[in-house]
Amino acid sequence: MNLRQLFDISLKNRADQIALEWEGREYTFGEVDARGNRMAHALRSRGLAQGDRLCVQLANRIEMIDLFLACVKLGVIFVPVNILYRERETSHILSDAEPKLLVTERELPDLLSSTEQARDFPALDGDAPAALVYTSGTTGASKGAVLTHNNFASNAANLVACWQITDRDRFLLALPLFHVHALGNGVHCWLVSGCRMRLLERFEHQSATQQFLDFKPTLFFGVPTVYVRLLETRPEDARAIGGTMRLFVSGSAPLPAQVLEDFRKLFGHTILERYGMSETLMNISNPYAGERRAGTVGLPLPGVSVRIDESGEVWVKGPNVCAGYWKREDATRAAFVDGWFKTGDLATRSEDGYYTLTGRRSDLIISGGFNIYPREIEEFLMEQAEVDEAAVIAEPHPVRGEVPVAYIVLSVPVEMSELERRCREKLASFKVPRRFEVIDKLPRNALGKVQKHLIRRAQSPA
Ligand code: MLC
């Protein structure tokens, strides 16, 4: 079954039920379907057909859902692009994905004029690619993980079953739709379960309490930074929110055990932590009914095989794992062995099967749930005439989990504020180093490889 047929469970069978709340308006599943059909015809009239790519760089809005549904219906490959990306970051994705069309706010008015609604779409195999999600390895340039209809379908079926999501749920979604957390988990669970979703443009901690009290959701997905922010909620509001809530889920970065504990005291709910990644969607999850164990990510989801190799690295295999990297056979070969995908994450498993993530093989930094590849920032810094060498490392941060800090060796003096200004101009805001520290030289091993752990040790107080 492809995603179009899977989504029809709600789009056709629940046509008169309220599906979506967006900017104070309610839309039925029938209306959501009709919007998707109209958008599909608009894309088709621009020449997009099965297998073509559509890049979309938009903040959360109903048209983002229209575009995703249109792609699913046509078999066009959806390529979401982070709205915080600057031209330097976007241009790589555009040249790699070679889309027929890039949709930003500018292109939208034109696409919304279609009135054609016929559901005359091509037959599609479940193995057809549904999305390319760009993610970097240890190299600076990002690669497109090819996620198929079957990948998304198996992921959604798993989450709906394991987290007991039904059409009685009220789901508040405030995460960005350009990532798999909101798209692969959020939008798919909504359309498969037929629940009611209120979509927000973004999570704003100043207005979050009001959104919860007003919508009275039963279901919420967040990254740890969101839960840290929610700890600022007034106790009486937290009790009211907890009273109508059924399930809080956390993922995309490790949830500190203390946050889980403080959240439980305030809201009366134990956050359910799970583990996934762009290439694999969801792999491991704490149980809905069993023990949600603090500091662990729980047990493998149905159909997902997990093993830990001698070096402690996690490998996964299952219907959720992507088909490979777009046009990158070398990277695909490096990441897969006999159908097993090498995650780059390190973990241990308890006697009773709970997995605990203990670290990462790469020096990936996760800030507020956004992935940062130090190599990309280092390369940018080294392009600056005054900078000889640069190493970017993670520093713990109470709200964002981690933030990037740059250690640089200069050939000519330069103001740090000037370096920061240049970073801000060319890199997404979450990648801009919080601090720049000038050092004499980077510690290297005999092979010339930078020893980042030594910088960290030299900088941390004894
Ligand atoms: C963050 N910013 C945004 C934004 N999110 N800007 C526009 N739209 C968004 N959606 C920018 C802000 O402008 C600001 O930039 C900076 O980020 C911090 O914002 P803040 O207002 O201080 O927010 P804060 O309370 O710290 O919360 C940020 C956040 C956001 C947690 C809401 O970081 C976020 O939505 N993160 C979710 C990322 C995510 O969905 N990851 C999933 C990856 S998928 P400036 O310039 O002022 O610094 C994956 C697989 C898996 O990993 O397993 O899920």
Side-chain angles (χ1 to χ4, degrees):
M1 203 186 268
N2 61 49
L3 290 172
R4 184 176 78 223
Q5 292 151 338
L6 188 63
F7 294 163
D8 277 351
I9 293 171
S10 297
L11 296 179
K12 282 173 99 172
N13 295 359
R14 298 186 175 96
D16 296 331
Q17 273 178 37
I18 301 297
L20 177 67
E21 292 187 22
W22 165 249
E23 292 199 322
R25 246 210 77 181
E26 293 176 351
Y27 299 81
T28 63
F29 281 105
E31 285 172 301
V32 169
D33 184 45
R35 293 180 63 100
N37 294 338
R38 284 199 296 272
M39 185 61 88
H41 288 286
L43 294 181
R44 194 140 78 176
S45 71
R46 303 269 178 315
L48 277 109
Q50 186 175 346
D52 287 337
R53 275 79 57 210
L54 176 78
C55 281
V56 176
Q57 191 173 25
L58 289 173
N60 285 3
R61 53 192 293 164
I62 190 170
E63 291 82 4
M64 182 93 161
I65 290 172
D66 300 341
L67 285 160
F68 179 66
L69 280 178
C71 287
V72 160
K73 288 165 185 278
L74 291 171
V76 165
I77 306 172
F78 187 75
V79 188
V81 184
N82 191 322
I83 44 153
L84 297 170
Y85 279 1
R86 306 285 186 176
E87 204 254 328
R88 177 186 168 98
E89 296 151 317
T90 313
S91 62
H92 165 72
I93 297 179
L94 295 179
S95 64
D96 192 72
E98 300 179 292
K100 267 255 166 75
L101 185 67
L102 161 69
V103 181
T104 64
E105 278 188 35
R106 204 156 2 112
E107 288 74 22
L108 266 183
D110 236 22
L111 290 169
L112 293 172
S113 55
S114 169
T115 52
E116 172 66 50
Q117 289 206 26
R119 284 174 133 260
D120 57 338
F121 302 117
L124 273 180
D125 194 79
D127 288 326
L132 295 187
V133 176
Y134 277 81
T135 161
S136 294
T138 44
T139 58
S142 59
K143 310 180 284 286
V146 181
L147 290 163
T148 65
H149 282 245
N150 279 343
N151 291 151
F152 282 114
S154 69
N155 183 63
N158 261 352
L159 302 188
V160 167
C162 292
W163 299 345
Q164 300 278 285
I165 305 172
T166 72
D167 62 359
R168 290 184 303 283
D169 273 309
R170 298 170 64 85
F171 174 40
L172 183 62
L173 183 62
L175 292 171
L177 289 167
F178 51 76
H179 274 317
V180 304
H181 194 152
L183 183 72
N185 293 6
V187 168
H188 285 73
C189 285
W190 162 55
L191 290 172
V192 172
S193 68
C195 67
R196 177 194 285 233
M197 176 170 87
R198 177 181 285 193
L199 178 70
L200 304 183
E201 184 185 329
R202 54 165 305 191
F203 176 84
E204 280 173 318
H205 61 273
Q206 300 86 343
S207 56
T209 302
Q210 206 40 52
Q211 288 290 351
F212 273 98
L213 291 173
D214 179 59
F215 182 55
K216 299 187 178 58
T218 59
L219 179 66
F220 181 76
F221 294 169
V223 297
T225 300
V226 164
Y227 289 108
V228 172
R229 292 291 195 196
L230 288 175
L231 291 178
E232 294 158 21
T233 310
R234 294 192 317 185
E236 60 271 35
D237 290 340
R239 268 195 303 278
I241 292 167
T244 52
M245 204 49 187
R246 185 177 68 79
L247 178 64
F248 290 96
V249 181
S250 178
S252 307
L255 181 71
Q258 190 60 46
V259 174
L260 183 124
E261 196 41 50
D262 293 348
F263 195 89
R264 178 162 46 208
K265 287 199 190 113
L266 194 57
F267 286 84
H269 283 263
T270 305
I271 299 168
L272 184 155
E273 186 174 5
R274 54 71 180 171
Y275 161 64
M277 54 197 298
S278 299
E279 288 95 330
T280 65
L281 301 172
M282 300 305 109
N283 296 314
I284 303 179
S285 169
N286 268 284
Y288 181 70
E291 183 196 356
R292 298 179 199 166
R293 199 173 294 171
T296 81
V297 289
L299 310 161
L301 283 161
V304 183
S305 306
V306 179
R307 70 178 168 85
I308 299 177
D309 69 16
E310 320 73 58
S311 69
E313 186 165 350
V314 180
W315 294 70
V316 296
K317 185 169 160 174
N320 55 315
V321 178
C322 73
Y325 294 109
W326 180 251
K327 292 193 310 194
R328 290 289 305 275
E329 273 179 36
D330 53 337
T332 304
R333 264 200 305 277
F336 286 87
V337 176
D338 296 334
W340 287 89
F341 178 78
K342 195 173 160 47
T343 62
D345 290 312
L346 305 172
T348 57
R349 193 179 79 152
S350 70
E351 290 277 315
D352 58 350
Y354 279 69
Y355 285 80
T356 300
L357 297 179
T358 55
R360 285 188 289 267
R361 172 83 62 230
S362 70
D363 55 2
L364 171 74
I365 299 170
I366 307 182
S367 188
F370 289 115
N371 288 359
I372 301 171
Y373 301 91
R375 174 80 177 272
E376 186 190 354
I377 306 169
E378 290 160 3
E379 280 172 6
F380 176 72
L381 288 172
M382 285 191 278
E383 284 168 25
Q384 311 309 307
E386 306 88 342
V387 179
D388 260 353
E389 292 189 292
V392 171
I393 63 179
E395 188 173 271
H397 187 271
V399 177
R400 305 195 64 79
E402 295 176 333
V403 288
V405 173
Y407 291 88
I408 49 177
V409 178
L410 296 179
S411 52
V412 193
V414 59
E415 288 292 327
M416 294 306 110
S417 56
E418 169 58 15
L419 278 185
E420 185 188 332
R421 191 194 62 75
R422 290 184 211 165
C423 286
R424 254 183 211 290
E425 195 179 295
K426 299 287 183 195
L427 302 172
S429 60
F430 58 91
K431 297 181 192 168
V432 177
R434 284 299 169 105
R435 273 201 334 271
F436 295 85
E437 303 263 344
V438 179
I439 53 178
D440 292 339
K441 65 176 183 5
L442 297 181
R444 291 181 184 276
N445 67 11
L447 298 171
K449 188 174 168 6
V450 177
Q451 306 283 84
K452 288 195 176 176
H453 60 285
L454 294 181
I455 306 180
R456 207 170 286 130
R457 201 172 307 149
Q459 300 304 319
S460 48

